[in-house]
Amino acid sequence: MRTAGTHVDLATLNESDHCCITFDDFDEFSTRAISFLTSGIELGLQGAFVSGAPAEVIESQLRQQEVASRFLDNGSMRVWSISDTYSDGFPEPHTQVEAYAAATRESIARGFRGLRIAADATSLIDTPERASIFARYEHLVDRFMTSHPFSAMCGYRITEGLAQEAVTQVAAMHPVAIGTKTPLRLFVIAHHTYGLVGEIDFWSASLLESTLDRADPAGETGQIVLDLSGIEFMDHHGVKALAEYAERRGAHMMLTKTPEHVGKLVDILDVTRLTVVDS
Amino acid sequence: MSSFTHDAFVYGSPGKFVGSLAPFIREGLELGEHVIVVTKPENQGALEDALGDRSEFQTADSTEWYSTPVQTIDRYRRVLQDALGSGRPRLRVVGEVEFGTTEIEHAEWRRYESVLNVAFADQPAWVVCPYDSQKLPGHVVADAARTHPLAISDNQHSESHEFLDPADMVGPLPLAIEGKFLGEFEVGDSLSAVREFVTRTSNQAGLSRPRAEDMCLIVNEIATNGLRHGLPPVRVQAWLGDRDLVYEVSDSGQGPDNPFAGFIPPKVSQGEGMGLWLSRLLADRLEIVSGTGGTSVRASTSTLAV
């Protein structure tokens, strides 16, 4: 069972969990990253610290912490530089998931149970276009995690240059999001089963729309099961966004654990591509 | 004949009721139309005796069917949609309105009768509304001529000369605010905070959780309209009376241009008008008052357990 929520202790996350955090400076990020990686290493996973700086800079910063030094020395933690990994500067979503799949296999070949990464991905969402593409990656990797021993903490540094909207777009793809201001999140629970949580009204309906398009849960089959147990509120704009996405994709959505007021809206709006299967 | 026909039929005895309406129903069935009869149980029984097999047409108890005007419009809309969807050429309705007992109820259902002409304009439906002259107050029966373009008596159609333009009949009815003032809230950018206000005041009023959620939806939708189409400030206030909880959402704008806004089912694809329609559908009562000082929308719910 994957963890979902906004108030979660990083150290309790499991081998397939996916978490988003925001932070103000490197020290804050590295403290949380080391805590997250430490708990993973204790689970028998290999850890990887990923950041935009060159690898040797990251390593020298990490070595200021004793625990990190020990992990680096004994091989239970690796360091990757985004700029080293992506020479052309930006990863294609599927390619990046494939890279982490290969890295996970490598960790397993070395005797670990799987791979856990803590990544400062700020540099990958510095323009709206890149944020949009990276949000697609965040969803694809979320899918990958449900069936592989791969877990991740994705950090985004709140700077003046970074649009709140960009952070919101990527945060919306995580089952766990700490300190982000995203009003909603869409994530994978299991094959073809998705969780949608949060509050959806006129202001956040456009985020739901773009999140659905980026994640594209309809996939090949056109059958989607959407678990709404984490919906605190949804108005008719939210129901409309779900119905219109299903329409665009020729898909059908089964809504489960549907709050009573959402069931009423589905009925009132008379939308044919949504079915409330249990409430 | 495929356009909307809306007749009043004033009757004084069960014999007259059956004498006129049994042939009307039989004719509809012969033409392959979908027929629904919504009336009081005693009239339902008398019709059954006259027509025999009731399985050929749909029946409903008027005391349940006529719950609120907009819920009733929605019910007929769905019956019509299903009938046309299954290949019926037309919907034929015997619909005996439950006018209630209070002056406000009488006025609400008079408005409903008038709005029906607009809600189903150009739809292939024929609605006959029986009015029981022995039981209904005289002014309710007299109003029938103002809300129905045609009247039937002794199986003869005649045009009503007293018929009034529905646009002049659709105006707001009084919805008093009285009792305890529960507070007010100025709506900023966050609708989430508005919903917290509604949840808190609904709990204070002792509403059930589903009903509190309905009120939350209603106030959220109307405040959204205020923010999008109205003028600031958008303010929400709540009052708890002896039997009702009333929310008022006000702004400085002119309110909806269309006097029928929220009475007529919008198409989902249109995108606009859905918030007001579903608010009218979910509220016990909802009234919109617009003037030079701005617009206020009041929505009420009973606080008595149902």
Side-chain angles (χ1 to χ4, degrees), chain A residues 199 201 236 264 267 269, chain B residues 78 195 214 221 228 268:
Chain A
E199 295 186 68
D201 56 26
H236 87 269
K264 275 186 197 170
D267 186 44
L269 267 68
Chain B
R78 285 169 189 259
R195 298 192 287 268
D214 288 347
E221 295 283 2
R228 293 185 62 205
V268 178

Side-chain angles (χ1 to χ4, degrees), chain A:
Chain A
M1 193 65 193
R2 302 183 79 200
T3 312
T6 53
H7 295 89
V8 174
D9 179 358
L10 287 173
T12 64
L13 293 179
N14 292 317
E15 63 176 33
S16 284
D17 280 333
H18 188 199
C19 160
C20 182
I21 65 160
T22 54
F23 63 94
D24 294 320
D25 56 49
F26 180 80
D27 284 348
E28 185 190 350
F29 174 72
S30 76
T31 304
R32 297 170 87 170
I34 296 302
S35 148
F36 178 67
L37 294 177
T38 301
S39 64
I41 290 163
E42 284 165 2
L43 291 171
L45 307 167
Q46 187 172 30
F49 191 103
V50 186
S51 157
E56 56 275 17
V57 176
I58 305 171
E59 193 168 331
S60 69
Q61 279 172 326
L62 286 176
R63 284 202 178 274
Q64 291 167 17
Q65 294 186 51
E66 199 197 318
V67 59
S69 278
R70 198 172 69 239
F71 290 153
L72 287 167
D73 290 340
N74 69 16
S76 54
M77 184 167 87
R78 309 166 65 183
V79 167
W80 287 323
S81 161
I82 289 172
S83 49
D84 292 354
T85 315
Y86 307 108
S87 49
D88 55 348
F90 194 71
E92 192 278 323
H94 284 96
T95 311
Q96 190 168 10
V97 173
E98 196 33 62
Y100 281 127
T104 305
R105 286 193 295 271
E106 203 181 305
S107 293
I108 291 167
R110 287 185 190 172
F112 295 96
R113 283 185 50 219
L115 177 63
R116 163 167 293 192
I117 67 162
D120 169 5
T122 313
S123 63
L124 297 173
I125 62 165
D126 56 352
T127 67
E129 296 73 32
R130 285 164 63 130
S132 178
I133 297 170
F134 201 68
R136 170 73 179 155
Y137 154 76
E138 286 281 25
H139 176 74
L140 291 179
V141 82
D142 197 53
R143 267 188 219 179
F144 171 73
M145 286 179 207
T146 60
S147 51
H148 296 86
F150 179 72
S151 50
M153 179 187 100
C154 310
Y156 296 94
R157 183 177 188 163
I158 300 301
T159 63
E160 279 185 19
L162 195 64
Q164 175 62 47
E165 198 192 330
V167 180
T168 301
Q169 279 176 16
V170 289
M173 297 296 188
H174 292 78
V176 178
I178 299 164
T180 68
K181 291 194 179 102
T182 180
L184 62 91
R185 299 184 330 274
L186 176 73
F187 52 87
V188 188
I189 293 175
H191 197 51
H192 294 313
T193 303
Y194 295 79
L196 178 64
V197 304
E199 295 186 68
I200 300 159
D201 56 26
F202 174 70
W203 303 119
S204 55
S206 57
L207 175 66
L208 175 59
E209 211 177 296
S210 58
T211 299
L212 284 166
D213 280 338
R214 288 187 192 108
D216 198 18
E220 307 283 294
T221 66
Q223 290 291 328
I224 311 156
V225 178
L226 197 61
D227 180 318
L228 298 181
S229 55
I231 286 291
E232 291 157 55
F233 178 81
M234 191 187 300
D235 73 0
H236 87 269
H237 299 98
V239 174
K240 223 174 118 216
L242 293 177
E244 285 173 354
Y245 167 75
E247 190 70 45
R248 275 199 296 286
R249 295 292 280 109
H252 196 94
M253 257 186 215
M254 315 288 240
L255 309 181
T256 66
K257 299 177 190 159
T258 312
E260 196 171 321
H261 79 277
V262 178
K264 275 186 197 170
L265 285 175
V266 170
D267 186 44
I268 291 171
L269 267 68
D270 239 350
V271 282
T272 50
R273 290 188 179 272
L274 305 182
T275 308
V276 177
V277 289
D278 74 281
S279 51

Side-chain angles (χ1 to χ4, degrees), chain B residues 148-167:
Chain B
H148 296 77
L150 294 169
I152 311 180
S153 103
D154 298 327
N155 295 333
Q156 294 295 308
H157 268 81
S158 63
E159 208 171 310
S160 167
H161 299 293
E162 292 171 63
F163 182 70
L164 296 173
D165 185 345

